[in-house]
Structures are given as structure tokens and as C-alpha cells.
């Protein structure tokens, strides 16, 4: 009789363990995952405006170094160097992407403008977004567009050789 009671208790315990398994106590919930693909961000030269410091005359012997600045609106000023006319202007770019989206700007200036073995040091470069301001991130309008202008400052030495000096700078835009 004792064996029968132990067997009955063992079967009852086994059945209880089965009926309260983890699957009957588990809870579950589901949610959707989403992704929104937006228009790729782009930046292109506006086809018209190139950053140009114009014609410049060096300070002359004993005059030290001079600077020439073209701001983001295309205005030119000089200190110690002569401003001799020529084409002066800011660099212009069109930015495009998703409607009403913010974007950041990175500007990489050349170390120098060169003419053969001669060079002019680039002291600084600035950008201005139409929507954000000077050296400030921009925001694309309701059609996904904005404009960006670039200016800079160069250093002219008193013995600067004549020539046409050029250099390449890079404007990079990105979604934040």
C-alpha cells in the first residue's frame, strides 16, 4: 500500500509541474519597426559663382605681408596688399535633399593657392547658409532646397611672384 501512495504522489507532482510550465506563465507583445528613406543630400556648384580674390598687388619690399578677404557676400577688402580690380566673388553652391530637413556643413580649405612653384597661404575660409547664417548649419526649405556661399582670406607676401594662383576647396553637407 505504501508503494501505491508514493506512486500516486509522484504522478500528481508530475502533473502539477506540467500544468504550470513556463509557457503558460509567459507574456508576449509585438510592435512594428519602421524606416523612412529620405531624399539623398546633395551639394553642387551653382554654375555661376566661383570664389575669386581678383587682381592683387603685393605690399612691396619693406611692406611686410598683406591680406585680402572676400566675404560670403562677395565683398573684398585688403590690408597691406593693393586691390587692382579683376573678377571678385564668393563661391556659390546649391544644396538639395528632403523637404524641411536640417543639414550640417563641413568646409575644407586648401593649404595654399599655387602658381607653379609659388604659393599663397589660405588663412581662413567661411561659409554662409541662406537658412542658417555665417558658419551655421542650414535647413532645407519646403521644396528641399537651400543655398550656400563661401568666402575666404589669403596672405600676400611682399615678394609674391606674379601669376594666376589656384587651389581646390571642398564643401561637404550631411544630415545631422
Amino acid at each position: 500500500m505504501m508503494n501505491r501512495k508514493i506512486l500516486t504522489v509522484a504522478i500528481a507532482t508530475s502533473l502539477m509541474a506540467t500544468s504550470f510550465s513556463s509557457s503558460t506563465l509567459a507574456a508576449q507583445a509585438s510592435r512594428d519597426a519602421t524606416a523612412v528613406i529620405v531624399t539623398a543630400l546633395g551639394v553642387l556648384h551653382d554654375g555661376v559663382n566661383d570664389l575669386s580674390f581678383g587682381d592683387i598687388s603685393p605690399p612691396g619690399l619693406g611692406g611686410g605681408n598683406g591680406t585680402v578677404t572676400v566675404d560670403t557676400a562677395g565683398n573684398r577688402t585688403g590690408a597691406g596688399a593693393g586691390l587692382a580690380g579683376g573678377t571678385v566673388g564668393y563661391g556659390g553652391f546649391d544644396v538639395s535633399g528632403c523637404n524641411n530637413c536640417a543639414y550640417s556643413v563641413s568646409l575644407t580649405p586648401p593649404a595654399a593657392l599655387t602658381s607653379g612653384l609659388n604659393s599663397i597661404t589660405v588663412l581662413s575660409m567661411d561659409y554662409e547658409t541662406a537658412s542658417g547664417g555665417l558658419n551655421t548649419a542650414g535647413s532645407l526649405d519646403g521644396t528641399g532646397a537651400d543655398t550656400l556661399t563661401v568666402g575666404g582670406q589669403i596672405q600676400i607676401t611682399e615678394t609674391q611672384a606674379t601669376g594666376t594662383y589656384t587651389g581646390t576647396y571642398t564643401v561637404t553637407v550631411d544630415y545631422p
Side-chain angles (χ1 to χ4, degrees), residues 1-24:
M1 186 73 143
M2 179 94 148
N3 283 341
R4 204 181 257 176
K5 283 185 181 179
I6 292 174
L7 181 61
T8 304
V9 171
I11 292 173
T13 304
S14 176
L15 288 173
M16 285 176 58
T18 304
S19 60
F20 292 109
S21 71
S22 63
S23 65
T24 58

Side-chain angles (χ1 to χ4, degrees), residues 63-81:
N65 294 332
T67 60
V68 176
T69 303
V70 174
D71 67 17
T72 57
N75 302 307
R76 178 174 70 161
T77 56

Side-chain angles (χ1 to χ4, degrees), residues 7-176:
L7 181 61
T8 304
V9 171
I11 292 173
T13 304
S14 176
L15 288 173
M16 285 176 58
T18 304
S19 60
F20 292 109
S21 71
S22 63
S23 65
T24 58
L25 298 178
Q28 203 172 35
S30 298
R31 289 293 300 159
D32 294 333
T34 62
V36 177
I37 307 302
V38 297
T39 304
L41 198 55
V43 62
L44 295 171
H45 180 260
D46 68 7
V48 177
N49 299 294
D50 289 321
L51 178 57
S52 178
F53 293 93
D55 298 343
I56 305 162
S57 62
L61 294 178
N65 294 332
T67 60
V68 176
T69 303
V70 174
D71 67 17
T72 57
N75 302 307
R76 178 174 70 161
T77 56
L83 305 179
T87 302
V88 175
Y90 62 83
F93 295 86
D94 294 322
V95 182
S96 62
C98 71
N99 300 351
N100 302 309
C101 289
Y103 68 95
S104 62
V105 180
S106 175
L107 178 61
T108 306
L113 305 180
T114 59
S115 177
L117 298 176
N118 301 307
S119 64
I120 294 175
T121 301
V122 176
L123 297 175
S124 65
M125 291 185 84
D126 295 312
Y127 67 88
E128 185 168 1
T129 60
S131 61
L134 185 64
N135 297 326
T136 304
S139 181
L140 301 167
D141 66 17
T143 66
D146 197 16
T147 60
L148 181 141
T149 57
V150 175
Q153 183 178 57
I154 56 175
Q155 182 176 42
I156 310 299
T157 66
E158 60 186 35
T159 58
Q160 197 73 55
T162 60
T164 300
Y165 291 76
T166 60
T168 301
Y169 62 96
T170 304
V171 174
T172 304
V173 295
D174 199 0
Y175 290 121

